[in-house]
Amino acid sequence: MKRMNFDRMFVGWGRKPSGYRAIVNAHKVRKHFTLQEDGFLRSVGREGPAISIVHDAKGIYYDASAPSDLETLVAQKLTSEQMLRTRNLVKNWRDFRLSKYNSSADYTEVLPDRYVLVVDQVVGDLSIRFGGANSSSFDTMLNAALFENPEATIIVKTHPDSVTRAKKSHFDAKALTASKRLKIITENCHPVRLIEQAEAVYTVTSQVGFEALIWGKKVHCFGVPFYAGWGLTNDRIPTPERRSQASLEQLVYASLVRYPIYTDPDRNCSCEVEVVMNHIGLQRSMRSRFPRKIVALGFSRWKRSILRSFVNGSQVKFLTHERQIKDGDTVALWGNKKLNHKDKQINILRVEDGFLRSSGLGADLIRPISWVIDGEGIYYDPAQPSRLQYILATYTFNIALIDQARRLREIIFKSGISKYNLPGTFWIRPFKDRKIILVPGQVDDDASIVAGCSDINTNLMLLRTVRVAEPEAYIVYKPHPDVEARLRRGDVDDKSILLLCDEIVSNGDVAQLLGQVDEVHTMTSLTGFEALLRDIPVTCYGTPFYAGWGLTTDKDIVSARGRKLILDELIAGALILYPTYINRVTGCFTTPERALEELIEWRKNGSVKPTARRKLVRFFLLLWQVLVARRKSYNDS
């Protein structure tokens, strides 16, 4: 990747005044200049920071009246390796359905069977003037499209800035609607579907023409954009003689690899174009998962902004009562909350913490790095289908996905990452030749216990059962961190627990603790899954999501599963395919690998400590729990 040294040069923005000043000042003192512009794969949203930029020491790519570095780069021949890389870039561009800007939703209306696409631009676009065109070029283009395609509909796509920034287009949309052969699309939609199904694309200098070439479309140019004059387009006005024949691969490689400089949005460092493609492709995929409008019920105020980030791409409206839900709504609910909606057809999205959550407790109002959003059910309720159960029961795990899961498992093992990544005391096993069993405590009203346990459904019952089953073992009990922090109701007094176990380990680092034990016995705790990640045998007395796949010893009846999985298939389902991860800094969707990097760095810098506001919220939460407990006691008496 090229590096720019700006210490001894003047820098300006394209053909804007700053660009002219850079050129003039550089000539005065006999120094170099470089002109900057946004790259051709700029960002997710138009208002977001650019993740690619071009530097040109000769001119700028959209000015056909003068040479540019891009022209020199396009003319360069490619090696066989570069050709292969370019073809992969073209494939990825299509697969990820990329464009210069990528936040808008796809066009969803029915398209004509046959059509050509005519691309409008905003008045004042510098690429028009410096591309040898003017306002009349757009009328010429539209008339040519109508004349040359008598059997096809002509779709005129106005520029999104005419909608989002109130800029003026060259075409009058209202006037054009009088023609039956014309279909005018004014909405701010992603252009890919319009390009993909078009028979041809007509443009003056819009980048859409370049994107159409990537899609293998015939492109007619009525100006001289950077991609014209290379023998790849039907050029309606003369192009510079300095441009000669070039292949599509040469154009793409120069425009996407050699010419721009890219910044990795996740790591804020320079990167190659493939990293940016993967990032934007992930954003587009995640932003299109749900309907454009979602209503949410029962989310506390501090969770509302979090929900918006995890369903980015959809508009969220928060309701105060379920009677506000309308027929046909998509409703987001926290956990296993029940609704009385027999009279309405609605879709439910159930939301819960992910399995790699944060460095700090959720009950301490620490913002999560992952959530799961399930349109089938929720993972901890075995009585109902869930998307995780469907993935684990039916998905065909390919070699690449299994390898990805294995690498994640290795990182988790080596780094000691867990769900909450809390600091804790260092614990060393007291015996080398005696079996050590860890029994993780759970919160009394844990939804996974209510949904996933039958005969054994309290910590004391679990400890009694383990003691009877393993009378010679050294049993270590670790209270749930929410209980230790006094954020949730949990255990009875330590004396009752110590009658059934050998040691209580409070404030222990669960990952470090797992490295010292031989087995884990649990009802439904996620500690069982974390033990499996470390190849520690796990016995389940309830039905957590990781039971029933042949990887645990199951004491409860596990139904509706039956498939045998290898460990890395379970990990692929639970940590790669099921959760949603958000970058803590950018707020963008991210990968599980990057989420792990952030968790490692987060834990290294120390868990987030509760603010005064959070401590106040905790106080009222505890007070509320006491009042609820007293009311329950009063009602029982």
Side-chain angles (χ1 to χ4, degrees):
M1 175 175 290
K2 65 181 179 179
R3 298 289 187 270
M4 302 297 295
N5 182 0
F6 298 109
D7 294 338
R8 298 183 178 181
M9 65 172 60
F10 290 87
V11 181
W13 193 262
R15 292 304 186 204
K16 295 290 182 69
S18 64
Y20 285 112
R21 286 196 300 269
I23 295 172
V24 171
N25 291 332
H27 286 163
K28 282 181 180 179
V29 296
R30 296 184 180 181
K31 287 191 175 183
H32 298 289
F33 71 87
T34 184
L35 301 181
Q36 297 180 334
E37 271 287 353
D38 288 329
F40 306 120
L41 185 60
R42 183 196 182 276
S43 56
V44 177
R46 298 183 67 83
E47 304 300 332
I51 53 183
S52 73
I53 197 168
V54 302
H55 297 274
D56 202 308
K58 292 181 181 177
I60 197 64
Y61 69 88
Y62 57 76
D63 186 354
S65 67
S68 69
D69 282 341
L70 180 56
E71 290 181 344
T72 303
L73 296 172
V74 173
Q76 294 178 6
K77 301 298 182 182
L78 302 183
T79 66
S80 57
E81 290 80 6
Q82 290 168 340
M83 288 285 286
L84 179 60
R85 181 183 181 187
T86 306
R87 287 165 185 161
N88 286 331
L89 289 176
V90 168
K91 181 179 184 301
N92 288 342
W93 186 284
R94 295 182 185 182
D95 289 347
F96 293 146
R97 306 180 71 77
L98 302 177
S99 184
K100 183 175 184 178
Y101 305 102
N102 296 275
S103 63
S104 301
D106 287 326
Y107 184 71
T108 57
E109 301 297 324
V110 176
L111 290 170
D113 292 335
R114 292 188 59 195
Y115 69 89
V116 298
L117 179 63
V118 173
V119 184
D120 195 6
Q121 293 173 249
V122 295
V123 174
D125 187 333
L126 291 179
S127 74
I128 298 171
R129 174 158 62 97
F130 288 101
N134 52 44
S135 295
S136 65
S137 302
F138 289 85
D139 293 330
T140 302
M141 172 176 63
L142 180 58
N143 290 331
L146 286 164
F147 178 77
E148 294 165 3
N149 303 275
E151 304 299 324
T153 300
I154 310 300
I155 291 182
V156 177
K157 176 63 181 77
T158 60
H159 195 278
D161 281 357
S162 65
V163 177
T164 60
R165 298 183 179 185
K167 292 190 176 183
K168 186 177 179 182
S169 293
H170 286 88
F171 292 123
D172 184 342
K174 290 183 179 179
L176 294 180
T177 54
S179 173
K180 294 181 179 179
R181 289 194 57 203
L182 294 178
K183 178 179 177 65
I184 318 302
I185 298 178
T186 59
E187 70 177 83
N188 181 22
C189 61
H190 200 54
V192 171
R193 182 169 174 243
L194 303 179
I195 298 171
E196 181 183 23
Q197 299 184 30
E199 293 184 1
V201 173
Y202 284 67
T203 181
V204 176
T205 58
S206 170
Q207 184 181 306
V208 171
F210 172 62
E211 297 173 16
L213 289 176
I214 293 178
W215 278 93
K217 302 298 178 178
K218 188 172 183 178
V219 178
H220 303 268
C221 296
F222 290 77
V224 186
F226 69 92
Y227 50 86
W230 304 104
L232 301 171
T233 54
N234 181 6
D235 301 320
R236 302 304 179 93
I237 67 173
T239 59
E241 292 184 1
R242 63 183 179 272
R243 298 185 188 180
S244 57
Q245 294 291 116
S247 66
L248 177 64
E249 288 83 1
Q250 285 175 272
L251 176 66
V252 171
Y253 192 82
S255 303
L256 297 183
V257 178
R258 285 179 169 149
Y259 194 44
I261 293 175
Y262 296 95
T263 299
D264 184 341
D266 274 337
R267 297 172 176 83
N268 195 29
C269 61
S270 61
C271 66
E272 298 293 340
V273 61
E274 288 86 352
V275 174
V276 171
M277 280 187 163
N278 288 334
H279 170 80
I280 295 179
L282 176 64
Q283 307 313 304
R284 284 205 55 77
S285 173
M286 299 300 282
R287 289 168 64 94
S288 62
R289 292 172 297 165
F290 307 121
R292 293 189 183 184
K293 294 184 178 180
I294 294 173
V295 298
L297 182 67
F299 284 81
S300 60
R301 289 193 176 275
W302 88 276
K303 283 182 179 177
R304 292 183 179 184
S305 64
I306 302 174
L307 179 65
R308 284 193 173 100
S309 66
F310 276 92
V311 297
N312 192 4
S314 301
Q315 296 178 354
V316 184
K317 179 181 179 181
F318 293 94
L319 308 180
T320 56
H321 196 280
E322 67 178 86
R323 64 172 172 266
Q324 297 172 283
I325 297 173
K326 299 177 182 177
D327 197 54
D329 277 348
T330 295
V331 186
L333 302 172
W334 183 260
N336 215 17
K337 179 179 174 63
K338 305 300 181 184
L339 284 183
N340 181 20
H341 62 282
K342 293 181 180 179
D343 59 331
K344 298 173 184 175
Q345 293 293 322
I346 63 173
N347 299 310
I348 295 177
L349 299 175
R350 298 197 177 276
V351 183
E352 260 288 357
D353 283 330
F355 308 129
L356 298 171
R357 187 195 183 279
S358 54
S359 185
L361 295 173
D364 241 343
L365 308 187
I366 305 301
R367 196 175 181 92
I369 205 169
S370 73
W371 270 2
V372 299
I373 304 173
D374 198 318
E376 304 293 330
I378 195 63
Y379 68 87
Y380 55 72
D381 186 354
Q384 303 294 330
S386 72
R387 188 166 64 86
L388 178 56
Q389 181 166 301
Y390 179 79
I391 290 169
L392 296 177
T394 66
Y395 198 86
T396 301
F397 298 94
N398 58 40
I399 294 175
L401 189 61
I402 292 174
D403 285 344
Q404 183 184 1
R406 174 185 53 78
R407 291 191 296 271
L408 285 176
R409 175 165 55 86
E410 290 172 352
I411 294 171
I412 291 170
F413 179 78
K414 290 177 182 178
S415 62
I417 287 295
S418 61
K419 180 177 182 178
Y420 293 115
N421 302 289
L422 299 169
T425 55
F426 195 83
W427 187 83
I428 300 176
R429 61 182 296 151
F431 304 100
K432 292 184 178 180
D433 55 352
R434 186 177 174 187
K435 183 189 291 186
I436 309 293
I437 295 177
L438 172 63
V439 176
Q442 294 182 246
V443 179
D444 276 353
D445 59 352
D446 191 318
S448 71
I449 294 178
V450 175
C453 293
S454 52
D455 296 334
I456 299 172
N457 54 25
T458 68
N459 293 320
L460 284 177
M461 293 173 69
L462 175 61
L463 284 167
R464 288 193 191 100
T465 304
V466 176
R467 174 54 75 199
V468 171
E470 299 281 354
E472 303 301 320
Y474 188 89
I475 299 176
V476 177
Y477 178 75
K478 184 184 184 310
H480 191 279
D482 280 354
V483 176
E484 289 182 297
R486 299 182 63 194
L487 298 173
R488 303 278 294 277
R489 289 189 303 121
D491 303 315
V492 292
D493 61 280
D494 289 352
K495 292 182 180 179
S496 299
I497 295 174
L498 279 172
L499 293 174
L500 300 168
C501 71
D502 296 283
E503 184 176 353
I504 299 174
V505 178
S506 298
N507 300 314
D509 179 347
V510 68
Q512 186 274 328
L513 190 59
L514 285 171
Q516 301 293 315
V517 304
D518 300 304
E519 295 180 10
V520 170
H521 288 233
T522 181
M523 290 178 286
T524 59
S525 171
L526 187 65
T527 301
F529 177 62
E530 295 176 347
L532 291 178
L533 294 176
R534 295 160 173 82
D535 288 323
I536 299 170
V538 176
T539 299
C540 297
Y541 297 82
T543 310
F545 71 88
Y546 51 84
W549 308 106
L551 298 168
T552 54
T553 299
D554 301 320
K555 299 296 186 179
D556 209 349
I557 298 174
V558 180
S559 60
R561 294 180 183 178
R563 184 187 187 190
K564 301 296 182 182
L565 298 176
I566 63 172
L567 178 57
D568 289 327
E569 289 174 332
L570 174 67
I571 294 169
L575 296 185
I576 300 173
L577 300 177
Y578 189 49
T580 299
Y581 297 95
I582 294 289
N583 185 297
R584 291 179 65 213
V585 177
T586 67
C588 294
F589 297 109
T590 193
T591 63
E593 290 81 3
R594 178 56 188 156
L596 272 176
E597 290 178 18
E598 290 196 347
L599 283 173
I600 292 169
E601 186 67 23
W602 191 355
R603 188 186 61 180
K604 179 181 176 182
N605 294 333
S607 301
V608 176
K609 296 190 177 172
T611 62
R613 180 186 176 191
R614 287 175 181 167
K615 289 179 179 178
L616 184 63
V617 172
R618 278 179 50 177
F619 170 78
F620 283 110
L621 178 64
L622 288 170
L623 179 62
W624 178 79
Q625 289 176 344
V626 169
L627 293 174
V628 169
R630 287 183 177 177
R631 182 177 180 181
K632 184 177 184 299
S633 176
Y634 175 80
N635 290 337
D636 290 343
S637 62

